[in-house]
Amino acid sequence: MRSSQLFGKTLRQAPADAETISHKLLIRAGYIQQIAAGIFSLQPLGNRSITKIRNIIRDEMDRAGGQEINMPVVQPRSLWEESGRAETFVPPLATFKDKREREMIIAPTHEETATAMARAGVTSYRDLPFTIYQIQTKFRDETRPRGGLLRVREFEMKDAYSFDADEEGMDRSFQSMVDAYKRIFKRCGLEVIMVEADSGGIGGKDSNEFVLLTDSGEDTILMSNESDYAANLEKASFIKKAFPIGDLGQVEEFATPGIKTINELAKSEGVSKSKTAKAVFYSVDGEIVVVTIRGDYEVNETKLRNQLGGLEPKLATPEEVKAAGLVSGSASSVGLEGIKSIVDDSITLGSNYLAGANKEGFHLRNVNLNRDFKADILGDIAEAKKGYLSPDGKGKLVAKRGIEIGHVFKLGNVYSSKMGADYTDEDGEQNEILMGCYGIGVGRMLAAAIESNHDDFGMILPQAIAPYDVYLAGLNLNNDDIAGKAEQIYETLQDAGYDVLFDDRDVPPGVKFKDADLIGVPVRVVISSRSLENGGVEVKSRTSKDSEIISESDVLAIVQKVLG
RNA sequence: CGGGGCGUGGCGCAGUGGUAGCGCACCCGCUUUGGGAGCGGGGGGUCGCAGGUUCGAGUCCUGCCGCCCCGACCA
């Protein structure tokens, strides 16, 4: 492609409403155009990058045995009523009515249609296993899109669905997708790690995220400094500190005037926070619940939600707390009737806690689970932090930031049972099909790549996802000799299969160099009167500071070498 | 959904009631050609929308819409 004909101008200044680096660069380099909040068009450069990413994904999906399909963006709402997600999906489904007043939805994901496909197409165990995938548009009406392509409302996703007869099969399909994902990210030149994750609204038992570690990421990842344990903060577990459990003391009340927090309580008693039982109030589906956790830990609301069977906990407002007759600052589960109690298992790793007396200005000593208060639900709801012990017993946790660009789920029978997707096995019995689903955010992957790979001048894209492999800058092109040689190099590189952007514009050299850097093309070749005087053409990789002069006849060989 | 900010030419911005301007970009000409060139000439804006106040509104008032950021929420 000749720059003189390329649609899309580079900007010297980024639009004022772009804040994130990738957003600024994508706009400045002319990759994308914003149409509305979280809705973008791809311009030629952006589309070329996305196409390259898409092709790599497709290639690896096919290699893993996936079969490409296509499912509709517009779907009847009734399909989503079958799975039960019509009401519960977050963000709420975007809907409209068609001409015949039927409620339609714009799909945010495709588990329902994929299950419908399998339900219709599978009758026997002989039809299993198989994996289907598509690369296609989703719409999620996120309340707050942000960061250019990082979080958008309409986006392209590669979503795959595997169908198996049994657990072992599902695990095999899952593993095969995980392997494909690893190859995809590697081929794209991105350092993506797999971490344990919460499965959220998609459902299922196990899920893993693929995360590109970068400081500008919006997710927190906790990983062991000694093993390969890594998990999203939402999911991360750790080994809780255990204390010897002695004889249970007598509960006694004592005055704690002015003491409102666990910190103050522990301090005034001269004990560690781990000797206290902290009570936190949540409002769940309109009902107040009390969460008790050892004072040295914090509640992880995602874990709490999972313990509550998926219901969303919200911190209770002071009014709600008061209305429930609770005394904030001196509250505990002790003696509370009719209020659901959720207890973190850290409480079982110690005894004789200090806790609120449910009486303004008083606390209790020697409070113990079961004897003094009950647990309707007992489990892990504690938030992991850096420095805590890795759950595998190897090393301590460290915290990093990352961007989630892929997520894989073992769905099991979540959808097949609700939607009646089953098959007949060897013994003639009906069984539910076991599913897995696997997503990659295509545009987000590009944004994430830029977030983790740029400098003051612009993007630094890995060759695999850069819109062009080579930026050929011809200077002094009004000189026929130079112009002729530039054309020759352009031809040679293209004949060798490289995507070349030939900057043939009549603009000053500085403009070409700035654009080459901004767009992030991995190799730059310059031909000019000066380069010819110095013995040929100049080749420079985007990442190196210096260029080297080579003879024109070596261009291809050197470009090959620089691109590796 | 709560808090904050911003809407003036393609982009960045100025303009506190009296005929809409600057820089970049764009077009023409000449001169230039190694890190966003110089000179000269030129084109382009219902000032987000609607209503109101006023002799007169980009500017003041009311309502609405849009966009960004923080939070909440989050396949």
Side-chain angles (χ1 to χ4, degrees):
Chain A
M1 177 52 114
R2 291 168 194 271
S3 293
S4 60
Q5 290 167 22
L6 178 68
F7 173 74
K9 245 189 263 295
T10 56
L11 294 176
R12 206 182 274 231
Q13 281 164 307
D17 53 11
E19 195 122 327
T20 319
I21 297 218
S22 62
H23 188 192
K24 283 186 188 169
L25 290 176
L26 284 165
I27 299 270
R28 280 193 58 209
Y31 276 52
I32 61 174
Q33 184 199 15
Q34 181 160 10
I35 294 299
I39 298 179
F40 291 86
S41 295
L42 293 174
Q43 295 183 165
L45 288 177
N47 194 51
R48 286 187 68 91
S49 269
I50 293 293
T51 300
K52 291 197 175 184
I53 295 172
R54 210 186 274 145
N55 286 343
I56 290 171
I57 292 174
R58 185 174 280 130
D59 193 44
E60 292 296 343
M61 282 294 114
D62 289 345
R63 187 172 153 198
Q67 304 175 59
E68 190 166 12
I69 55 156
N70 197 277
M71 297 183 279
V73 177
V74 172
Q75 308 175 0
R77 186 187 155 95
S78 54
L79 188 61
W80 285 66
E81 279 156 7
E82 290 186 45
S83 70
R85 291 204 297 179
E87 298 295 340
T88 61
F89 199 82
V90 180
L93 296 174
T95 62
F96 68 94
K97 284 192 174 157
D98 69 10
K99 233 180 211 170
R100 295 181 206 171
E101 294 291 303
R102 278 183 303 220
E103 276 220 81
M104 307 299 280
I105 67 117
I106 304 174
T109 174
H110 284 79
E111 282 74 23
E112 281 77 4
T113 36
T115 308
M117 193 174 275
R119 176 171 62 186
V122 174
T123 46
S124 152
Y125 71 95
R126 295 176 200 275
D127 300 325
L128 299 169
F130 67 97
T131 295
I132 52 180
Y133 76 95
Q134 64 174 351
I135 299 175
Q136 187 251 28
T137 300
K138 316 279 182 221
F139 182 80
R140 289 179 192 176
D141 200 0
E142 300 275 354
T143 31
R144 186 150 112 76
R146 56 172 295 273
L149 294 188
L150 278 177
R151 174 174 296 281
V152 291
R153 294 193 294 164
E154 183 185 302
F155 59 102
E156 190 170 295
M157 182 199 270
K158 185 288 298 173
D159 46 322
Y161 305 86
S162 64
F163 301 87
D164 279 273
D166 54 33
E167 196 114 355
E168 294 71 43
M170 178 177 77
D171 290 350
R172 263 195 308 277
S173 297
F174 183 88
Q175 189 55 44
S176 139
M177 282 293 121
V178 166
D179 293 342
Y181 272 38
K182 288 180 175 167
R183 291 194 301 268
I184 288 166
F185 299 127
K186 190 169 180 207
R187 279 179 63 182
C188 288
L190 301 175
E191 284 206 32
V192 174
I193 60 163
M194 186 172 90
V195 310
E196 292 179 14
D198 181 66
S199 55
I202 295 290
K205 195 161 48 91
D206 294 334
S207 90
N208 292 273
E209 285 173 353
F210 288 81
V211 173
L212 182 64
L213 294 177
T214 166
D215 290 340
S216 55
E218 52 182 354
D219 292 334
T220 300
I221 307 301
L222 290 162
M223 39 207 303
S224 165
N225 60 356
E226 284 177 23
S227 73
D228 57 4
Y229 177 79
N232 190 302
L233 173 65
E234 294 179 339
K235 170 82 175 182
S237 58
F238 60 98
I239 297 178
K240 292 171 184 167
K241 236 179 187 171
F243 297 92
I245 295 175
D247 297 337
L248 302 191
Q250 283 258 299
V251 175
E252 55 183 83
E253 187 176 288
F254 62 108
T256 51
I259 287 179
K260 290 283 182 195
T261 69
I262 285 295
N263 271 332
E264 291 164 0
L265 180 64
K267 205 168 169 192
S268 84
E269 288 299 298
V271 297
S272 145
K273 283 193 284 184
S274 59
K275 290 299 293 178
T276 68
K278 175 164 58 180
V280 191
F281 312 111
Y282 283 90
S283 162
V284 180
D285 214 8
E287 179 198 354
I288 294 285
V289 305
V290 181
V291 173
T292 308
I293 187 168
R294 216 169 63 193
D296 50 338
Y297 295 130
E298 305 284 338
V299 174
N300 175 318
E301 292 184 5
T302 304
K303 289 184 181 180
L304 176 59
R305 185 187 64 205
N306 289 336
Q307 294 288 354
L308 291 166
L311 295 171
E312 199 64 44
K314 278 193 178 139
L315 264 184
T317 62
E319 294 75 41
E320 287 171 323
V321 170
K322 208 170 228 174
L326 299 162
V327 187
S328 69
S330 292
S332 73
S333 229
V334 178
L336 290 188
E337 295 294 327
I339 295 184
K340 197 176 212 181
S341 165
I342 321 250
V343 179
D344 181 65
D345 55 16
S346 56
I347 290 289
T348 65
L349 303 172
S351 55
N352 296 329
Y353 293 104
L354 298 172
N358 290 317
K359 197 162 129 193
E360 184 80 36
F362 287 89
H363 280 81
L364 303 171
R365 278 187 231 287
N366 298 325
V367 167
N368 289 288
L369 177 62
N370 296 331
R371 186 189 69 178
D372 305 318
F373 68 102
K374 57 174 179 146
D376 295 314
I377 297 174
L378 177 67
D380 172 29
I381 50 168
E383 182 140 301
K385 281 202 180 116
K386 68 175 177 185
Y388 288 1
L389 296 173
S390 177
D392 58 8
K394 297 174 195 157
K396 288 185 174 174
L397 299 176
V398 294
K400 300 204 171 168
R401 304 288 288 178
I403 300 171
E404 172 195 359
I405 59 184
H407 203 151
V408 292
F409 304 79
K410 285 186 188 172
L411 295 175
N413 67 351
V414 174
Y415 292 88
S416 46
S417 68
K418 286 182 180 145
M419 297 181 63
D422 37 42
Y423 68 94
T424 307
D425 68 16
E426 295 93 321
D427 304 322
E429 303 282 329
Q430 290 283 102
N431 281 302
E432 287 163 342
I433 302 173
L434 298 185
M435 294 172 57
C437 77
Y438 318 89
I440 292 179
V442 181
R444 183 182 278 183
M445 192 162 150
L446 176 60
I450 295 165
E451 287 294 330
S452 70
N453 250 327
H454 63 269
D455 61 16
D456 291 345
F457 300 105
M459 308 177 189
I460 304 176
L461 293 177
Q463 185 201 353
I465 65 176
Y468 290 96
D469 303 316
V470 180
Y471 195 100
L472 172 62
L475 312 184
N476 323 99
L477 288 173
N478 45 11
N479 174 317
D480 289 344
D481 181 41
I482 297 173
K485 286 180 169 154
E487 293 287 347
Q488 246 172 38
I489 294 169
Y490 184 40
E491 287 304 316
T492 305
L493 290 173
Q494 288 188 108
D495 287 347
Y498 288 109
D499 290 332
V500 184
L501 184 57
F502 175 25
D503 196 338
D504 59 341
R505 295 172 300 171
D506 184 21
V507 295
V511 173
K512 300 188 179 186
F513 297 149
K514 290 284 186 192
D515 277 350
D517 287 350
L518 180 58
I519 291 169
V521 179
V523 183
R524 190 185 79 192
V525 174
V526 178
I527 177 162
S528 67
S529 47
R530 187 198 282 189
S531 77
L532 289 174
E533 276 163 30
N534 288 336
V537 300
E538 255 174 52
V539 178
K540 176 186 164 304
S541 121
R542 177 66 179 83
T543 52
S544 73
K545 195 144 179 60
D546 304 310
S547 56
E548 58 177 316
I549 294 273
I550 56 159
S551 105
E552 296 149 64
S553 53
D554 292 340
V555 171
L556 187 56
I558 301 294
V559 164
Q560 270 163 355
K561 200 186 89 190
V562 173
L563 285 175

